[in-house]
Every structure is written in C-alpha cells, then in structure tokens.
Amino acid sequence: QQKRTAERLAEMDYLKTQFLAVMSHELRTPLNSIIGFSKVLLKGIDGPINERQAQDLKYIHESGQHLLALVQDIIDISRINAGKMELQLEEVDLREIVQSAMDAVTPLVQGKPITLEQHIDELPPLYADRRRLRQIMLNLLSNAIKFTEKGYISVSAQIVESWNTCTEQQESFVQVSVSDTGIGIPADRLTEIFEEFTQVDSSDSRSRDGAGLGLPITKKLIELHGGRIWVKSKVGEGSTFTFTLPLNSRGVQEVVRTV
Ligand code: ADP
C-alpha cells in the first residue's frame, strides 16, 4: 500500500512538472506577440498615437513583460525540480557579470535616494554558467531594490578558504554578498523565504510584483554550482544575502554530475 502511494505521488509530481513545462511554453508565444506589438504601436510605427493611448500601451507592454518573467520563473523551477536544469559551465569573470547585472537594474533605482556600490576583490576566473550567474545576481539585486527605499545596495566579493571535513581538504570559495538598507526580514521568516511561492507580506504592493519564486530558483542555481546561500537581516535596518561558489572547477563538475 505504502509503495503504491509513493508511486502515485511520484507520478503526480511528474505530471505536474510536465504540465507546467508545456503550459509555460504555450504561454510564451502569445505573450511575445503582446509585448512585441504593443512596442510597435508605442513607437508609432503603425501611425501616430495620442498621450492616453501611449499610457495604456505602456501598461500593456509592462504587464506583458511582467507576465513573461513569471512564466520564465515557472519554467525554471519546474526544470530544476525535474532534475533537468543543465548548466553550461565555462570560465567567467565575476566582476563583468556583476557589472552587467548592476547596469541592468540601474533604471530601477532612478528617483530613489539609493547608491549602488561594488567592492570586488581581484579574483581568478570562476567556472560557472554565465547566464545563470547573471540571473542569480539580477534576482538578488532586484529584490534589494524592491525592498529598499533609501540608503545603499552593495555587492562585495572575496575569496574564502575553508576546511572540508568530508574530503579532508582545504577548499577555496568565492563569497559574494548583496547588502541593502531596506525593510529587512523578520527572524522567523528567514528560512521560509527560500521556499517556493513564499512571500513575507503578500499584501505589500512590492510583493505583488513577484510570485515568490526568485529566491528558491536562486538557491537551487547556486546549489547546482556546488555553492550555498544564506541571509542575515534585521527588520528596519536591512538584509545581506551571501552565497558561495567553489573556485576549483573539479568541485563544480563533481556536483553537476551527481545532481
Ligand atoms: P518575489 O519574486 O515574489 O519577491 P522572492 O523569492 O524573490 O519572491 O522573495 C521572497 C520574499 O522574500 C519577498 O516577497 C520578500 O518578502 C522577501 N525578500 C526577499 N529579498 C528581500 C530583501 N532584500 N529585503 C527584504 N525582504 C526580502
């Protein structure tokens, strides 16, 4: 009986993942049309539009992009949960990735008294998936901006050494922190936020922007790279998300093979 229940659960999980993956792909095509054609109209390519029409089209365009990001998150989490997320590992320069993510989020801080800072030590190249590492940085940075009204958001990175008691070897990691001076997270919610579809305050209009998938995806992508993530936070003062990535490529390859 127990075995049958377990089999049924596994089958349901598989079907759920399949359903999400197929649906998400089906949703993407019409969404891309909505985004593309609203942009065409906005640019006046099909003829002049008035100010109110431009405002409405802007909402359509933004909502389309928002929905596309949510769909992309659902694809990612179902791919990860099905064990089908594959990393394209190559040598990457962390500084370059941080810079590119910072550039992408700069428009989001416009109008807010927030400074964006970077303190990145001289680092050897990392063996990682460039696109996924950028996604990790974008998730952490956009959360920091979303939940911070004033102050600073800072990214720092340095090399740390630690002793692995399993392999009895010294290991080197790159440790990256994203700190903000935002609203912070209550101590009893700190582990929960890494779970799927969890938000600290879903009535908060900022939270309505997301689906509570950003951090679970970020955590799993980091773990696929052989690293880990944790958070320290104080309500009203700010939060610091820190993650590690192993420096030796052998470590990453081993993790990738066993995941
Ligand atoms: P979402 O995409 O909905 O924001 P996440 O998984 O990225 O989902 O984050 C989950 C929740 O964790 C957020 O809704 C928010 O309550 C909290 N959170 C994440 N990052 C921060 C931060 N830098 N400051 C304060 N709260 C945060």
Side-chain angles (χ1 to χ4, degrees):
Q1 181 65 32
Q2 252 180 355
K3 195 171 155 239
R4 268 190 52 201
T5 314
E7 275 170 10
R8 275 196 65 95
L9 280 176
E11 191 186 345
M12 269 165 63
D13 207 46
Y14 175 78
L15 287 174
K16 187 192 78 183
T17 306
Q18 282 297 95
F19 173 77
L20 283 176
V22 173
M23 274 309 288
S24 307
H25 282 290
E26 295 299 323
L27 289 169
R28 252 196 319 195
T29 317
L31 261 175
N32 279 322
S33 293
I34 293 173
I35 294 169
F37 284 111
S38 55
K39 189 89 199 174
V40 166
L41 291 172
L42 249 177
K43 281 188 171 166
I45 294 172
D46 288 341
I49 50 168
N50 67 34
E51 218 169 282
R52 277 192 57 189
Q53 289 167 330
Q55 192 58 47
D56 293 346
L57 282 167
K58 221 174 125 234
Y59 285 136
I60 296 175
H61 187 256
E62 280 171 8
S63 303
Q65 272 184 324
H66 181 193
L67 203 49
L68 187 63
L70 291 181
V71 169
Q72 195 55 54
D73 276 356
I74 293 174
I75 294 178
D76 281 350
I77 201 82
S78 44
R79 195 174 284 162
I80 291 171
N81 288 341
K84 292 207 175 113
M85 171 67 78
E86 281 178 19
L87 299 180
Q88 309 287 324
L89 296 174
E90 57 180 321
E91 283 200 349
V92 299
D93 176 0
L94 181 74
R95 198 188 289 259
E96 186 194 304
I97 290 178
V98 170
Q99 188 58 53
S100 140
M102 284 271 204
D103 290 346
V105 298
T106 301
L108 305 178
V109 293
Q110 260 162 23
K112 283 190 189 180
I114 295 176
T115 48
L116 291 176
E117 297 170 14
Q118 270 183 62
H119 308 279
I120 299 187
D121 286 358
E122 208 51 59
L123 297 170
L126 275 175
Y127 201 57
D129 183 316
R130 182 185 302 276
R131 181 171 145 229
R132 298 301 177 184
L133 190 50
R134 186 165 184 272
Q135 184 177 356
I136 292 167
M137 289 310 306
L138 280 175
N139 269 338
L140 295 177
L141 281 170
S142 50
N143 272 350
I145 294 170
K146 191 155 56 162
F147 295 102
T148 304
E149 287 312 316
K150 59 178 196 302
Y152 67 83
I153 288 160
S154 140
V155 178
S156 62
Q158 74 249 19
I159 294 177
V160 292
E161 307 275 339
S162 76
W163 182 257
N164 184 327
T165 46
C166 293
T167 59
E168 302 233 319
Q169 271 176 0
Q170 186 78 1
E171 287 180 347
S172 305
F173 290 88
V174 174
Q175 184 164 304
V176 185
S177 293
V178 179
S179 302
D180 65 57
T181 52
I183 60 172
I185 303 159
D188 59 341
R189 310 297 297 272
L190 287 179
T191 46
E192 217 176 282
I193 55 170
F194 291 104
E195 285 163 21
E196 287 164 34
F197 303 109
T198 306
Q199 298 179 324
V200 172
D201 179 5
S202 51
S203 64
D204 186 324
S205 67
R206 286 173 283 210
S207 299
R208 270 182 248 135
D209 267 359
L213 285 175
L215 286 176
I217 292 172
T218 300
K219 178 172 189 273
K220 291 195 167 142
L221 288 177
I222 290 166
E223 288 170 354
L224 277 174
H225 278 90
R228 56 187 204 96
I229 182 169
W230 63 94
V231 57
K232 288 200 171 124
S233 186
K234 213 163 186 186
V235 171
E237 288 184 19
S239 315
T240 298
F241 286 82
T242 305
F243 68 89
T244 57
L245 295 173
L247 256 182
N248 63 340
S249 58
R250 202 164 40 84
V252 184
Q253 275 167 336
E254 272 160 18
V255 170
V256 169
R257 235 180 289 124
T258 54
V259 163

